Amino acid sequence: QVQLVESGGGLVQTGDSLRLSCAASGYTFTGYNMGWFRQAPGKEREFVAAITRSGDRTNYADSLKGRFTISRDNGKNMVYLEMNSLKPEDTAVYSCATKGGYRLPYDSNLYDYWGQGTQVTVSS
């Protein structure tokens, strides 16, 4: 079955960087776009970034452009999220998800399978 396992989260300080990883298995990885979302306590799930199956196109939340970078390694069935200049408001559980089709939407309801997430905490 489809399995997505995130890793790389942790406790960091303001201004630090982190790279999150998402290991995918149980399906044809190159057949799906991938997305990253985050959810802070008491808030709704929020779109972070998405990438096409070939990696030739990406989409980012406007507020995160320039600080976050999504990438994928199709040879390893991995998706990454590089996060720089982290702020306390970036504190959240970060999850990866699969997306069929050709679009890279913001709407989490349009994504198919989800990982459990990894906690990122940024201290001030």
Side-chain angles (χ1 to χ4, degrees), residues 77-122:
N77 286 12
M78 297 288 293
V79 181
Y80 304 101
L81 184 69
E82 186 76 34
M83 306 186 295
N84 297 315
S85 303
L86 284 164
K87 306 174 182 179
E89 51 264 43
D90 294 318
T91 295
V93 174
Y94 286 72
S95 301
C96 62
T98 66
K99 173 66 180 72
Y102 298 94
R103 297 170 58 201
L104 301 176
Y106 282 36
D107 186 351
S108 62
N109 292 315
L110 299 178
Y111 288 74
D112 308 306
Y113 296 97
W114 293 80
Q116 292 297 311
T118 185
Q119 175 71 48
V120 172
T121 303
V122 185

Side-chain angles (χ1 to χ4, degrees), residues 61-75:
D62 288 342
S63 62
L64 300 177
K65 285 180 182 176
R67 288 198 301 125
F68 287 18
T69 303
I70 188 171
S71 62
R72 65 190 292 164
D73 185 336
N74 286 344

Side-chain angles (χ1 to χ4, degrees), residues 3-23:
Q3 190 169 17
L4 301 172
V5 180
E6 301 92 339
S7 61
L11 173 62
V12 297
Q13 295 186 333
T14 297
D16 285 351
S17 298
L18 270 180
R19 187 176 84 152
L20 305 183
S21 300
C22 170

